[in-house]
Amino acid sequence: MSRVSVSIDPHVHSEGSYDGHEPVELILEHAAEIGLDAVVITDHDVIRESKRAAEIAPEYGLIGIPGVEVSTAHGHLLAVGVERMPPRGRSYAETVRWIRDRGGVAIVPHPFQRSRHGVRQRNIPTPGSAADADEPVATDGAPEAGAVGADSEPEPAAAVAEVDAIEVFNAWLFTGYRNRRARRFAAEHGYPGVAASDAHHLQYVGRAFTELTVEGVESVHDVTADDVLAAIRRGTTTVEGRRAPIRMAAKHYVGAAGRRSAYYARTGAARGARATKRTAVDGAVAAKVAALQSIHRTRRFLSWFA
């Protein structure tokens, strides 16, 4: 049977998100230039720009896949392949069911990292677990008033809505401990693993990505969004990337600066001025991150001789 490999960054934020910075056209252009086959715009609790990106993605030679990062009562979830915004603030299990009922895949991003609204491990259902994922959690981690008590009969395990994949590599986790923990959890419980950049700035798009094996097609140009979603569900995934820049480093950083300048030159002086200021800020942030990473690596290297 014929098969092809597809590279996808399934977790990217655009200017449509409250914490994003780049227009979707620029993200798509950059993704195509660095060799990705698809990028999913997953803005926080808004889907308009993601749907627009999915519509115009073929113009850049990319597979169009809409998505969103939705806030549930138990943490964030990626809803990939949905055309509508999932209800916000609902329970984890209810949100997973909503996504899957509409043909999408539900992915847990940056799991266990509560500072970034990652879902707690006890709220990620596993095969044979009790259906406690619908239990509301207070800010201190204790069940909220009115939650099921210790003497209550738990729901049958069949009622638990399992996600389709776990983000086992998120490029924005500094030490890598959470990534390793997520990888172990996914392997132990049989969840497919994906990698993503979680990019909020252009130069980080594709810093981590997922390789998918799609069967029954002759070339990447024949791959559809449904094919990608099916490959995630089957678990034919390989994670790529590291916290330091990956093999596309030069294209990421040098190329991103050039593409941003060219884009804003085309779209007007006003946006260009904002872009110039943003590029300067991004450069300072990138330099700071690089310095911190260098210090971290140096300390780790020295620890080998301690």
Side-chain angles (χ1 to χ4, degrees):
M1 179 181 295
S2 60
R3 64 182 63 184
V4 298
S5 180
V6 176
S7 300
I8 173 175
D9 187 345
H11 186 180
V12 174
H13 297 274
S14 78
E15 64 182 3
S17 187
Y18 73 88
D19 56 354
H21 299 276
E22 317 291 358
V24 296
E25 292 88 350
L26 190 52
I27 293 172
L28 295 172
E29 180 180 321
H30 183 69
E33 286 292 327
I34 63 173
L36 292 174
D37 299 305
V39 59
V40 185
I41 302 300
T42 52
D43 293 332
H44 288 286
D45 296 321
V46 290
I47 199 171
R48 182 175 63 86
E49 286 301 288
S50 183
K51 291 176 64 176
R52 190 168 70 84
E55 291 174 359
I56 65 176
E59 299 175 14
Y60 298 84
L62 301 174
I63 306 163
I65 308 171
V68 64
E69 185 168 5
V70 58
S71 300
T72 78
H74 299 91
H76 289 174
L77 276 176
L78 297 181
V80 178
V82 297
E83 296 285 346
R84 293 170 49 200
M85 177 65 212
R88 293 182 288 269
R90 302 287 180 86
S91 73
Y92 171 95
E94 182 180 356
T95 309
V96 171
R97 284 192 289 267
W98 190 99
I99 295 167
R100 299 183 74 178
D101 286 348
R102 286 156 182 80
V105 296
I107 301 172
V108 180
H110 41 74
F112 320 138
Q113 191 176 10
R114 296 302 294 164
S115 62
R116 298 174 66 197
H117 307 286
V119 179
R120 295 180 188 272
Q121 181 170 329
R122 66 187 179 89
N123 288 320
I124 301 178
T126 56
S129 66
D132 58 357
D134 281 319
E135 179 182 302
V137 178
T139 55
D140 61 358
E144 292 182 347
V148 178
D151 296 330
S152 301
E153 189 70 24
E155 296 180 30
V160 177
E162 296 180 21
V163 291
D164 296 287
I166 303 289
E167 190 179 75
V168 300
F169 193 100
N170 180 291
W172 275 108
L173 298 183
F174 182 68
T175 66
Y177 167 72
R178 300 291 184 183
N179 282 335
R180 292 192 295 272
R181 182 181 170 191
R183 191 187 294 260
R184 288 195 299 268
F185 178 85
E188 180 180 351
H189 298 291
Y191 281 116
V194 300
S197 68
D198 195 3
H200 293 69
H201 297 81
L202 186 65
Q203 64 265 39
Y204 298 108
V205 173
R207 190 172 180 178
F209 58 94
T210 304
E211 289 278 357
L212 299 168
T213 300
V214 178
E215 299 180 344
V217 295
E218 297 294 336
S219 73
V220 173
H221 301 293
D222 299 324
V223 177
T224 67
D226 288 339
D227 292 330
V228 171
L229 301 182
I232 294 174
R233 295 187 190 101
R234 288 196 303 268
T236 57
T237 61
T238 303
V239 299
E240 297 285 349
R242 53 182 181 268
R243 293 184 306 284
I246 57 175
R247 56 184 168 83
M248 303 174 189
K251 288 186 178 181
H252 275 64
Y253 294 95
V254 178
R259 275 185 284 279
R260 179 183 286 116
S261 298
Y263 174 82
Y264 286 109
R266 294 194 304 268
T267 56
R271 297 193 72 173
R274 293 197 296 271
T276 300
K277 179 179 179 181
R278 186 180 304 146
T279 299
V281 173
D282 291 349
V285 171
K288 182 178 180 180
V289 170
L292 290 173
Q293 289 178 336
S294 178
I295 293 171
H296 174 71
R297 294 193 189 97
T298 300
R299 287 176 176 172
R300 187 169 63 178
F301 176 76
L302 293 175
S303 70
W304 296 345
F305 302 95

